[in-house]
Amino acid sequence: MTSRMAEEAKDFREFLDQLRSEPGYWKHFTILQFTAAMARLMKKPPRVSGKELAQLLGVAPSTVSKALSGGENLTIETMAKIAGALDAAVYIHVAKKGTAVHWVEDSAYSYPVVSEARVESSSASSGVVIHVPLPSDGVISKQQVVS
Amino acid sequence: MKLFEVAARRFSVLVVYNEEGSCQVMEKMRRVRVEHQDLAYQMGVLLYQEIPDRGLPDDPRRFGRLYDEMIYELKALEYVTPSERLGFRIACFFDGEAIVCTNAFYKKDKTPPDQVSLALRERARYFRDKDLRQIDLISWRPGGQEHD
């Protein structure tokens, strides 16, 4: 390897380090997490095309395409709407940069979620809320929750 | 052939040095960072985070075939105006668990044909040199040193 190549490699290493030290890089890292997750979700059965997703959202297909292209700075509201159209939600995990993060979807601990559409059509007063006084030590034990 | 190892975790991402000894992908990335910073960020995330950890994106907006089953492209996109798009692409090919990047270019409408030929030439050179055991890898480990 010539010294010029070694120098170039060193420069590129520094260039990548510098990119990774900037907030813009991590913004796109987050956008990519979302768009990649949406792409995977859309491919799961029943497969949903970009056009069908646009219909579910009531927007033009180009709007969906633009949002999932990675070229747009998505708001949390937009992400929640897009995921919500497929009956999904955005879960967030924050960890040190460079950490290998693996998500596990555990159906054993899943709970039923009433979709927004169903909430709108049901009676809001049908639920029962029980108020329990907080223990003096402020610690809620499992026993107290169950009782 | 000289190759620079951008990352090597579950998958390796490598970029080639051409026969003149310069790395077109590196040079283009540097220019893109000045001209369209968001495109450089997007591509940086693909090269250094997404592909090494998760493999190639299963998303046609981020990855696609460029020429037959031989050359593929990594994709980044920026809206220069609300309706005007500018693409930034890196041509690449596979060798087992390694993704070898050959050249980078802007794409506005159609892929410049010379970029496809360049990628095909570099791919042929890579497999020829691999057969001849003439691949020289310059690796990068954060906090470590490259070797020659």
Side-chain angles (χ1 to χ4, degrees), chain B residues 21 36 42 115 148:
Chain B
H36 297 278
Q42 285 178 48
Q115 296 294 331
D148 59 8

Side-chain angles (χ1 to χ4, degrees), chain B residues 74-93:
Chain B
L74 306 175
K75 304 177 183 181
L77 182 73
E78 183 184 64
Y79 282 84
V80 185
T81 66
S83 57
E84 194 188 346
R85 304 185 307 173
L86 178 67
F88 175 44
R89 305 291 163 91
I90 292 185
C92 59
F93 62 88

Side-chain angles (χ1 to χ4, degrees), chain B residues 57-103:
Chain B
D58 188 13
D59 181 354
R61 294 177 188 89
R62 302 286 190 164
F63 172 74
R65 191 184 299 169
L66 187 59
Y67 183 84
D68 276 350
E69 303 273 317
M70 296 163 84
I71 304 293
Y72 297 82
E73 58 182 348
L74 306 175
K75 304 177 183 181
L77 182 73
E78 183 184 64
Y79 282 84
V80 185
T81 66
S83 57
E84 194 188 346
R85 304 185 307 173
L86 178 67
F88 175 44
R89 305 291 163 91
I90 292 185
C92 59
F93 62 88
F94 309 126
D95 182 14
E97 303 281 87
I99 290 98
V100 185
C101 302
T102 53
N103 48 303

Side-chain angles (χ1 to χ4, degrees), chain B residues 101-112:
Chain B
C101 302
T102 53
N103 48 303
F105 54 94
Y106 283 125
K107 180 175 177 178
K108 225 168 179 193
D109 300 311
K110 287 185 176 178
T111 301

Side-chain angles (χ1 to χ4, degrees), chain A residues 3-21 25, chain B residues 3-7 13-17 22-33 39-41 43-48 74 88 90 101-104 138-141 146:
Chain A
S3 58
R4 187 177 64 78
M5 280 175 163
E7 197 56 39
E8 201 176 25
K10 184 170 169 280
D11 285 352
F12 195 59
R13 182 177 63 189
E14 284 166 4
F15 167 79
L16 288 170
D17 274 340
Q18 203 177 347
L19 265 192
R20 292 173 67 236
S21 72
Y25 177 93
Chain B
L3 293 160
F4 175 72
E5 186 183 68
V6 175
V13 176
L14 311 168
V15 294
V16 305
Y17 281 86
S22 60
C23 182
Q24 192 268 356
V25 173
M26 290 185 195
E27 287 166 7
K28 190 72 181 176
M29 282 281 284
R30 280 205 190 90
R31 279 206 301 278
V32 170
R33 188 184 173 219
L39 291 176
Y41 288 140
M43 202 53 93
V45 171
L46 273 179
L47 293 176
Y48 190 72
L74 306 175
F88 175 44
I90 292 185
C101 302
T102 53
N103 48 303
I138 307 161
S139 62
W140 167 33
R141 299 278 183 275
E146 69 271 16

